[in-house]
Amino acid sequence: MVTSVRAELQRELGERAAYLCFMGLVQERVAAVVGAAGFEAPASPADVRARVREVLTDEVCQDVEVVGWLHQAWIAERKDQVFAGFKQRRKAGPAEIPAATQLFTPHWIVRHLVENTLGRLWLLNHPESRLAEQMPYYVTPAEPDTDFLRISGPEDLTVLDPACGSGHMLTYAFDLLHAIYTEAGYDAAEIPQLILTRNLYGVEIDPDVAALASFALTMKARQRGMTGPIEPQVCALRPVSFTADELTELPAGDWNAFEHADTFGSLIRPGELPRRSDRPRERLVREQAAYLSGDYHVVVTNPPYLGSKNLSDLLVERLRQDQLAGKLDLYAAFIGRAMALARPGGLVGMITMQGWMFLPSYTALRESVRDRWSVVTLSHLGPGAFEVGRGEVVTTCAFVLRNAPASGPGAYFRLVDVPRDRKELVAREAYRGAGVSTGSTSGVGVGRRFDVDGHQLSQLPGGVFAYWLTPELLDAFAHLPPIAERVDTRSGMATGDNERFLRYWWEVSTEALGRDATWVPYNKGGRAHRWFGTNEVVVQWHNDGEQIKATKAANLAAGLISTNNAKCWNQDRYFQPSVTWTTIGHGRLAARYADPGSIFDTKGQCLFADSEEDRLFYLALLNSEVAGRFLEALAPALDFNSGAIRRLPDPYADADRDRIVALAREAVDLQRSAWNRQETSPDFVPPGFERGTVAEYVRGLQEQRTAEVQRLAAIEDELDGLLARAYDGAEVAGPDRAVQAVPTSADIVRDLISYAVGCLFGRYAAPVEQVADNVIPVAALPVLLDDFLAATFGEEHLEENRRFVAEAVGSDYLAKSFYADHVLRFRKRPVYWMFTSSRGAFQALTYLHSYTPETVVAVRKHLTARPQRPELTAYDRDVLEPLADLRLSLDLDDGVRVNYTRLGAGLKKIPGLG
């Protein structure tokens, strides 16, 4: 509804008038349902008014927050425009900040924050109260709280939302305050006026949404029977400043504090402003300052989220002045500002991004939360707490802080693994007291609460809020040295131009591979694969990386990269054996052994140790469940950089090292063997065959792999136990690693066919005749595969084997699916290339490494030997003949992406090749 109405109104009225008209219609409809007569919208088209009335039913309008939801829907297009501008390096100023930062908070999170600030404060002062029965998101303290802010009655309570938006926090605070006043025995007719004049305050930089907040509170008051004039205390901050001459006539004070009020908002910290006159601008400054002078019992808000890279220089400078903000994001600055707005002992409730809990830039903020303030409750929501649009994944936490040092443990809730559609349900069950956890996080609400003294977290590196760690794991950080004292962890090189300097090993010639040649193995990270493997990438390192270094130097001179990025880091560790891993994770860390001879990348960082035994020991540690628990704290964003790895507590002295090393060596051998059975391994070991049936061959491989998978699982289980015991018997949850799959019959047959084609092209030695001209028409593949099966497994089993292969992968696999499988197998950098006519009537394969300028001529011969029809004639005339005449040569160093396109329309298109 919003999209179509917006388009229609904007055509007729223009952008600004369209917004005012639409929101006026919405407010008119809500007011009519609530019973606030006399509220009229601007003139508007009759069909638009009718659509608004149709969609906004009486039931919908009973919830006055619908106004905020519709405002957010209206500005969605503007929000997309602002974020598109960020991609063009535009910065957010007063015109962009509202659209970029306004998010409507889900009602259950609003209730959780208000119930655990305003509701908690009332319950602490009135233990006889039954208000908790109306608060399903309230968290009962782990211990009785005797050190709390005293209030005498409801009229004493003051609540501020310093970034109030359309008033969602304030409207629920209104409902809860109404229940408090009612419980205290106040006359129902007096309560709305008291709430709006004594209790609720809001501040906002966007006058439009400030007006919506005032409207929402007005409707709340009307719903509760208030009939007189209503003026909610919602302040839309306005810029105001004085010239130097004007300041000389004013008493001492920061009269220009609000010069950039539409940019800084509630981050402004006004000082004392003596009253000298009642002139409008002076009065405006004093009125705005009164909202931001602190001393509130409760501050509750969903602050703006916007990183410094998108902020105007003015705002960036403001963040630099805030020692707690980490210079990174507006939300962090608002945490410190909210605490300053709360009186000593007051409560602050917020939902923000979770970064402040873990990132090094927020260490000072965490220290303040731990030492000057205290956590009352913190819900670690992770991704999916609410919809932000544009495909963003925002990881959040909702928390209540007290403006006083801790007098007991805080209640932490771990909900990061809960899907969005179940997050509210699981959270509510956990808040109701489903049990305190010592490590398990299974079940609905069960084991998700952790009661933790904040000072325990100070033992962790950087004081990160890894509240879920067991006492034994916390103690390990306090009493064990980091592994950096025994090993060296390093970040590697960024080439600056991967398309030019990186290849898969199978793209280049064998003669060009090796430390003394052009291309050397390169640990790039890649797919998660424990113990061994994914060593498929090579880097151009001819003459000690001469071209990479020259390119970096040129880019530095042109100002395209920084001095830091112009370096090839840690060359002293190149070509040494190591333990490597993918820094960007999708779950548990997956470390693997790297043989000597490799260079490493920024995304394939490495650990170096003096002996093979130590490398294997720390490989086992990195792949263990207990290390996974530590890394949840050290790398919560799944960025397994070398800095996080080096801080792992080292159990070396107390571990059964001999057994751990022996098991790790066996795990590496198992995975090396399995990896080298894949054609994409640079150390591929061709399969061994015995005369018999393909069914027997498949069954033998499945039995072998099943035994390997089971043995590897047993090894990992034993290693988990050994390493947990090395940390004083720390208990950790069962392994969450995925069990490796045993290949199906179809998998093995596809591998067999791929190997057979390689034999036919001479890529591998085999007892079949190789094709002489490097061309295999796809139509000839079934016969050639029969020849391979007969030579390998025996002529007497050919019919049975042919039938088994067809049943496993389909009788038309060679014609319809083989090439697509090959392209995927070789990461869209295939070694077999398919020539194909426009509709596929003619298809032929050729092998990249046997290609010559005469190959296209050979393809033409196979084509012209076929009965001709228009499709084939056109393909030969328009494509193959011109290509054959060119006698094109390929430079394998250029890689498949470049060389494949050189043959242009002659080859089958590969989506994503470029």
Side-chain angles (χ1 to χ4, degrees):
M1 185 267 286
V2 173
T3 302
S4 61
V5 167
R6 180 177 59 227
E8 182 175 342
L9 290 179
Q10 286 178 342
R11 279 196 304 270
E12 294 194 20
L13 305 175
E15 186 171 336
R16 178 65 181 164
Y19 170 80
L20 294 175
C21 178
F22 175 73
M23 295 310 300
L25 289 169
V26 172
Q27 290 171 306
E28 178 186 70
R29 176 64 181 144
V30 171
V33 172
V34 169
F39 191 98
E40 294 185 5
S44 55
D47 65 320
V48 172
R49 184 181 294 269
R51 268 188 283 170
V52 169
R53 288 182 58 85
E54 179 183 349
V55 173
L56 297 183
T57 64
D58 289 0
E59 181 180 3
V60 169
C61 291
Q62 290 296 332
D63 182 0
V64 299
E65 286 86 8
V66 69
V67 179
W69 282 112
L70 291 172
H71 166 80
Q72 182 166 310
W74 183 279
I75 68 168
E77 184 177 296
R78 170 61 179 154
K79 189 169 197 166
D80 290 340
Q81 293 171 355
V82 170
F83 276 84
F86 292 159
K87 294 180 180 179
Q88 303 299 318
R89 299 189 178 181
R90 296 175 192 152
K91 304 297 182 181
E96 292 80 25
I97 291 172
T101 60
Q102 287 170 12
L103 288 173
F104 201 72
T105 316
H107 190 62
W108 76 269
I109 295 175
V110 170
R111 292 195 62 167
H112 172 68
L113 293 175
V114 174
E115 288 170 7
N116 286 282
T117 49
L118 175 61
R120 179 182 297 271
L121 199 53
W122 179 256
L123 290 173
L124 289 172
N125 281 272
H126 296 272
E128 78 287 351
S129 171
R130 304 189 65 175
L131 187 67
E133 297 174 5
Q134 303 176 46
M135 300 193 304
Y137 302 95
Y138 178 68
V139 176
T140 304
E143 299 176 1
D145 193 346
T146 57
D147 182 17
F148 53 85
L149 183 61
R150 262 61 182 186
I151 56 170
S152 57
E155 294 177 54
D156 293 337
L157 289 164
T158 52
V159 180
L160 170 72
D161 185 341
C164 70
S166 58
H168 200 177
M169 299 283 186
L170 296 175
T171 54
Y172 182 64
F174 183 103
D175 290 338
L176 199 57
L177 282 163
H178 197 281
I180 289 171
Y181 273 103
T182 300
E183 186 177 73
Y186 279 70
D187 184 344
E190 300 176 346
I191 294 175
Q193 181 73 24
L194 288 169
I195 293 174
L196 295 182
T197 57
R198 299 287 188 90
N199 303 120
L200 291 183
Y201 302 84
V203 176
E204 175 56 50
I205 63 171
D206 184 343
D208 286 338
V209 293
L212 297 182
S214 293
F215 173 80
L217 289 171
T218 299
M219 293 302 102
K220 282 289 184 183
R222 293 290 187 230
Q223 283 178 319
R224 298 292 186 174
M226 186 173 175
T227 57
I230 301 176
E231 293 187 12
Q233 299 185 88
V234 176
C235 175
L237 293 176
R238 293 163 52 191
V240 56
S241 61
F242 299 85
T243 67
D245 290 340
E246 290 172 326
L247 289 174
T248 62
E249 301 176 3
L250 293 169
D254 189 5
W255 291 95
N256 278 336
F258 292 93
E259 180 180 4
H260 304 291
D262 54 353
T263 299
F264 297 153
S266 292
L267 295 180
I268 296 169
R269 298 174 182 254
E272 186 176 348
L273 297 169
R275 180 171 181 170
R276 197 206 66 174
S277 71
D278 207 31
R279 288 184 293 187
R281 282 192 298 154
E282 293 177 44
R283 186 171 64 250
L284 176 60
V285 171
R286 286 196 301 271
E287 288 174 353
Q288 294 186 155
Y291 278 87
L292 297 178
S293 296
D295 214 33
Y296 292 94
H297 293 82
V298 169
V299 179
V300 62
T301 192
N302 184 353
Y305 310 166
L306 201 60
S308 58
K309 69 177 182 179
N310 295 325
L311 298 178
S312 67
D313 292 342
L314 197 63
L315 256 177
V316 169
E317 181 58 33
R318 187 76 179 201
L319 290 188
R320 286 200 182 103
Q321 298 170 16
D322 189 332
Q323 295 301 310
L324 302 184
K327 304 177 185 177
L328 289 179
D329 202 292
L330 277 177
Y331 82 81
F334 265 84
I335 295 176
R337 185 66 183 111
M339 296 306 299
L341 289 165
R343 63 174 57 186
L347 298 176
V348 170
M350 303 179 73
I351 177 169
T352 70
M353 297 175 73
Q354 71 176 33
W356 71 269
M357 298 171 61
F358 306 106
L359 296 179
S361 299
Y362 296 123
T363 299
L365 177 57
R366 287 192 294 275
E367 289 175 352
S368 289
V369 171
R370 189 177 62 243
D371 300 333
R372 293 165 48 196
W373 313 324
S374 53
V375 172
V376 176
T377 181
L378 188 152
S379 295
H380 192 184
L381 302 173
F386 51 86
E387 183 66 55
V388 296
R390 304 183 317 281
E392 287 187 46
V393 177
V394 175
T395 53
T396 57
C397 59
F399 54 89
V400 173
L401 305 178
R402 181 169 56 182
N403 194 7
S407 59
Y412 296 78
F413 296 88
R414 187 162 177 79
L415 303 164
V416 294
D417 60 322
V418 181
R420 176 185 299 171
D421 59 354
R422 299 185 69 243
K423 207 171 286 280
E424 178 186 358
L425 168 65
V426 175
R428 188 170 65 243
E429 291 299 314
Y431 298 153
R432 285 176 178 173
V436 179
S437 176
T438 58
S440 173
T441 55
S442 60
V444 177
V446 175
R448 295 188 177 275
R449 174 171 175 163
F450 300 77
D451 290 337
V452 179
D453 185 331
H455 292 289
Q456 290 178 280
L457 303 178
S458 64
Q459 303 174 81
L460 297 170
V464 296
F465 274 43
Y467 56 86
W468 60 88
L469 293 180
T470 63
E472 293 84 2
L473 297 183
L474 286 171
D475 188 65
F477 279 109
H479 296 100
L480 293 178
I483 68 170
E485 293 189 10
R486 283 194 60 85
V487 299
D488 187 17
T489 59
R490 300 283 189 96
S491 176
M493 175 178 65
T495 70
D497 189 347
N498 286 351
E499 288 291 344
R500 179 181 176 190
F501 294 119
L502 296 187
R503 301 284 180 265
Y504 288 109
W505 68 266
W506 55 80
E507 296 184 72
V508 301
S509 68
T510 305
E511 293 75 17
L513 292 171
R515 183 171 178 177
D516 297 325
T518 302
W519 301 91
V520 301
Y522 193 60
N523 294 327
K524 184 73 172 69
R527 294 160 295 147
H529 200 276
R530 286 190 178 90
W531 304 109
F532 193 84
T534 69
N535 51 339
E536 300 167 330
V537 178
V538 291
V539 63
Q540 205 267 50
W541 197 247
H542 178 68
N543 199 18
D544 197 38
E546 179 180 32
Q547 291 188 30
I548 290 178
K549 292 174 182 177
T551 300
K552 284 177 173 284
N555 288 338
L556 177 64
L560 300 176
I561 59 174
S562 67
T563 303
N564 198 47
N565 289 333
K567 298 178 180 178
C568 291
W569 288 99
N570 297 313
Q571 290 188 65
D572 60 312
R573 288 295 192 180
Y574 288 5
F575 305 111
Q576 294 183 12
S578 65
V579 174
T580 188
W581 60 90
T582 303
T583 57
I584 303 302
H586 301 283
R588 283 268 304 281
L589 178 71
R592 50 196 173 271
Y593 196 88
D595 291 326
S598 297
I599 295 175
F600 52 104
D601 187 82
T602 56
K603 302 302 182 186
Q605 298 182 14
C606 291
L607 176 152
F608 299 91
D610 292 336
S611 68
E612 182 185 10
E613 287 72 21
D614 279 2
R615 286 190 291 275
L616 290 169
F617 176 84
Y618 289 104
L619 172 61
L621 175 62
L622 295 187
N623 279 335
S624 69
E625 177 68 21
V626 68
R629 298 302 298 276
F630 285 131
L631 288 171
E632 287 174 353
L634 298 173
L638 300 182
D639 179 9
F640 300 123
N641 60 73
S642 58
I645 299 298
R646 65 187 290 111
R647 291 183 290 169
L648 283 169
D650 192 349
Y652 188 87
D654 299 318
D656 183 352
R657 295 193 298 275
D658 289 344
R659 181 59 179 163
I660 289 171
V661 167
L663 289 169
R665 180 178 283 112
E666 186 180 356
V668 170
D669 290 344
L670 283 170
Q671 288 296 75
R672 186 192 298 270
S673 175
W675 177 254
N676 288 342
R677 287 197 290 270
Q678 300 183 48
E679 284 188 78
T680 51
S681 167
D683 299 309
F684 172 63
V685 177
F689 300 109
E690 295 181 1
R691 299 182 74 84
T693 67
V694 174
E696 293 169 341
Y697 168 75
V698 166
R699 187 162 52 250
L701 278 182
Q702 287 177 326
E703 290 173 354
Q704 177 184 355
R705 191 56 187 149
T706 297
E708 291 174 345
V709 167
Q710 291 173 347
R711 178 56 189 152
L712 185 63
I715 289 171
E716 291 180 329
D717 287 344
E718 185 175 352
L719 284 172
D720 280 341
L722 288 168
L723 287 160
R725 286 193 290 277
Y727 290 105
D728 288 336
E731 293 184 9
V732 294
D736 62 357
R737 56 180 175 266
V739 176
Q740 297 188 37
V742 173
T744 65
S745 296
D747 294 331
I748 296 173
V749 168
R750 281 190 286 264
D751 290 347
L752 178 64
I753 293 172
S754 179
Y755 176 72
V757 173
C759 292
L760 293 168
F761 274 122
R763 181 172 171 84
Y764 312 117
V768 288
E769 184 177 353
Q770 300 173 14
V771 294
D773 57 2
N774 193 33
V775 178
I776 300 178
V778 171
L781 272 177
V783 174
L784 294 174
L785 179 61
D786 282 354
D787 292 343
F788 173 84
L789 293 175
T792 304
F793 294 96
E795 184 76 36
E796 66 275 18
H797 301 291
L798 177 59
E799 188 59 38
E800 181 181 355
N801 287 337
R802 183 192 292 136
R803 186 167 54 252
F804 182 87
V805 167
E807 290 173 355
V809 297
S811 58
D812 56 357
Y813 173 77
L814 292 171
K816 293 187 176 180
S817 303
F818 167 74
Y819 193 65
D821 282 353
H822 173 72
V823 169
L824 291 178
R825 181 188 301 271
F826 283 85
R827 320 281 182 251
K828 295 190 176 181
R829 298 294 186 268
V831 294
Y832 310 139
W833 293 3
M834 179 179 281
F835 286 85
T836 182
S837 59
S838 59
R839 296 185 179 181
F842 173 81
Q843 294 180 326
L845 298 175
T846 187
Y847 175 40
L848 167 64
H849 289 271
S850 295
Y851 174 90
T852 72
E854 300 301 317
T855 296
V856 180
V857 176
V859 172
R860 285 195 71 205
K861 289 179 180 178
H862 284 275
L863 172 66
T864 55
R866 299 276 304 276
Q868 293 300 292
R869 58 195 208 191
E871 177 187 337
L872 304 187
T873 301
Y875 179 55
D876 183 46
R877 179 190 66 240
D878 301 335
V879 179
L880 290 185
E881 184 177 5
L883 275 177
D885 291 343
L886 290 174
R887 296 298 198 275
L888 288 173
S889 296
L890 302 181
D891 185 344
L892 294 181
D893 283 345
D894 289 338
V896 169
R897 186 184 67 84
V898 171
N899 284 320
Y900 202 89
T901 56
R902 282 176 177 149
L903 297 182
L907 298 176
K908 185 177 181 66
K909 290 182 179 179
I910 299 177
L913 176 64

